[in-house]
Amino acid sequence: MNKRLVSGIQPTGALHLGNYLGAIKQWVELQYDYDAFYFIADYHALTGRPKPADLKRHRIELLAMLVALGIDPKKCALFFQSDVPEHTELGWILNNSATIGQLNRMTQYKEKSDQYGQYVGLFTYPILQTADIALYDAATVPVGEDQVQHLELAREIIRSFNSHVGDTVLVEPKPLLTKSARVMALNNPSKKMSKSVAGSVIGLLDDPVTVETALKRAVTDSDPNSTDKSPGVANLFLLLENFSDSEMVRHFEGQFQKGTLRYSELKEQLIEDISAFLAPIQKTYRSLLEDEITLQRIAEDGAKKARPIAGETISRAKKALGL
Ligand code: ADP
Ligand code: TRP
């Protein structure tokens, strides 16, 4: 049997190229080599206190988008976190293997609590994330760079649990990063591309005109005396490597090296290639959303694959604890 791999993504609104390159693209590639468990982290999304109607819509839209991007529900388990109650059950258990001090070090809590308030769910978010991973004995967790701190904490929490029960009952995971793990904001390349930074993203549902506007505004400033790429230019090259063919990459690299690169031409190429990449995905996404029954069936089938494995881990953890 293949090695297990697990990852989740929150249903918090339309995905962007950062989410795709930093996470989902790998999910698609890895589903063929691993026994993959991919879930929509709807319990985690509660930490942003979304309006119920928005959460409901975002859940189903994310499911459709994941399938449109190439996640094959036959190859992996694709499900909603809240359909597998063992996530919260193990989350409770692991509350007792994490300290306030450890949680206090999480930079994401500091950022997000400014936005959403100091809710306990937001604070203990990484404990539930640890449960998500440990439930499936996952050795590998593909995520973007901003999740590395949570992953390191998950490893500590799991070690603490195992040391308490005196046995390696839960498996310690490792993060899996690719070189495109961090896509920067188009309008401010010192920050990561994020839906919470206005003007920073290209959304997977953007039409060609919106893609054009975003790219034309992308920051390229560079020091004329430097031979290195500025962060904005490096970010555009990262997009080029991912969405254009290798000949184009060589062509623009060559121009950059010679000092003859015209940013407007690089941007035109990106507008064309990114729009061409998005068009068929958007078409599939729209047709999937028209058939909610099939989407619901996909999620139910996914939960059916996940539950027995999650149940087995919970039994093991409870037994080890003396429950
Ligand atoms: P956002 O910052 O837009 O709210 P999320 O925090 O919901 O995005 O991230 C969802 C997934 O996408 C995570 O695995 C995260 O690591 C990845 N991700 C988000 N933004 C980027 C980015 N700019 N570059 C690479 N990966 C990203
Ligand atoms: N915290 C992750 C994010 O914001 C989502 C997530 C929840 C996750 N549980 C997980 C990722 C388990 C990997 C593994 O993107």
Side-chain angles (χ1 to χ4, degrees):
M1 203 177 63
N2 287 334
K3 281 210 303 194
R4 296 243 180 85
L5 170 149
V6 72
S7 199
I9 184 156
Q10 292 192 61
T12 43
L15 297 186
H16 51 74
L17 291 183
N19 303 134
Y20 175 66
L21 294 180
I24 312 301
K25 188 176 180 212
Q26 299 176 76
W27 289 21
V28 176
E29 288 161 6
L30 293 165
Q31 67 185 335
Y32 301 104
D33 299 330
Y34 285 84
D35 194 8
F37 291 80
Y38 296 135
F39 63 91
I40 293 176
D42 47 8
Y43 271 147
H44 275 110
L46 292 178
T47 60
R49 297 166 51 82
K51 291 203 180 78
D54 288 345
L55 179 58
K56 193 170 177 184
R57 187 167 46 82
H58 287 154
R59 275 168 34 110
I60 201 84
E61 286 175 352
L62 181 54
L63 181 63
M65 182 49 91
L66 293 175
V67 176
L69 287 170
I71 302 293
D72 179 353
K74 294 208 168 58
K75 281 263 167 258
C76 62
L78 178 61
F79 58 100
F80 291 115
Q81 183 184 30
S82 65
D83 282 343
V84 183
E86 285 83 357
H87 285 251
T88 39
E89 196 174 355
L90 187 59
W92 173 257
I93 289 174
L94 293 178
N95 276 335
N96 306 294
S97 298
T99 66
I100 303 264
Q102 283 174 312
L103 293 172
N104 262 333
R105 288 201 299 272
M106 298 298 111
T107 52
Q108 204 171 74
Y109 173 75
K110 293 190 188 84
E111 287 156 19
K112 295 214 168 166
S113 58
D114 287 343
Q115 193 182 346
Y116 300 120
Q118 297 185 344
Y119 286 92
V120 175
L122 193 60
F123 189 62
T124 59
Y125 178 116
I127 302 178
L128 181 59
Q129 182 163 350
T130 306
D132 297 336
I133 297 163
L135 269 185
Y136 302 99
D137 293 334
T140 311
V141 183
V143 282
E145 205 189 56
D146 58 353
Q147 291 299 312
V148 171
Q149 198 186 28
H150 286 166
L151 254 285
E152 287 305 322
L153 178 58
R155 288 159 63 84
E156 285 177 24
I157 295 173
I158 288 171
R159 271 203 296 274
S160 162
F161 176 90
N162 285 341
S163 116
H164 172 72
V165 298
D167 194 3
T168 37
V169 172
L170 301 178
V171 174
E172 234 185 274
K174 283 200 185 67
L176 189 72
L177 288 170
T178 60
K179 67 181 172 66
S180 47
R182 196 167 167 85
V183 183
M184 305 315 286
L186 293 176
N187 57 350
N188 179 359
S190 65
K191 289 191 171 167
K192 73 156 201 162
M193 180 180 283
S194 169
K195 63 177 160 305
S196 43
V197 180
S200 77
V201 307
I202 293 177
L204 299 185
L205 293 172
D206 284 353
D207 58 29
V209 177
T210 313
V211 171
E212 179 175 351
T213 311
L215 277 166
K216 287 207 162 146
R217 286 192 189 138
V219 172
T220 50
D221 294 342
S222 35
D223 174 355
N225 301 318
S226 166
T227 50
D228 293 337
K229 294 187 181 107
S230 69
V233 173
N235 201 37
L236 294 183
F237 269 91
L238 176 71
L239 296 180
L240 194 74
E241 277 158 30
N242 279 284
F243 296 108
S244 304
D245 56 42
S246 51
E247 215 171 295
M248 272 306 157
V249 179
R250 268 201 304 279
H251 167 73
F252 284 108
E253 267 301 341
Q255 290 200 333
F256 181 82
Q257 298 307 335
K258 282 186 285 176
T260 56
L261 175 64
R262 289 171 58 181
Y263 296 131
S264 57
E265 278 175 24
L266 173 63
K267 287 180 173 183
E268 284 302 335
Q269 190 65 43
L270 282 171
I271 293 163
E272 190 181 319
D273 293 341
I274 291 175
S275 300
F277 168 78
L278 293 178
I281 290 165
Q282 294 173 355
K283 193 161 169 251
T284 312
Y285 169 80
R286 295 207 168 97
S287 70
L288 283 165
L289 267 187
E290 277 165 21
D291 184 4
E292 263 197 38
I293 308 254
T294 301
L295 287 172
Q296 267 155 16
R297 191 165 323 122
I298 287 175
E300 276 163 30
D301 288 350
K304 273 191 207 140
K305 289 189 211 164
R307 256 185 241 125
I309 293 153
E312 203 262 323
T313 311
I314 280 288
S315 306
R316 222 167 60 219
K318 285 170 76 170
K319 189 159 168 247
L321 285 164
L323 292 168

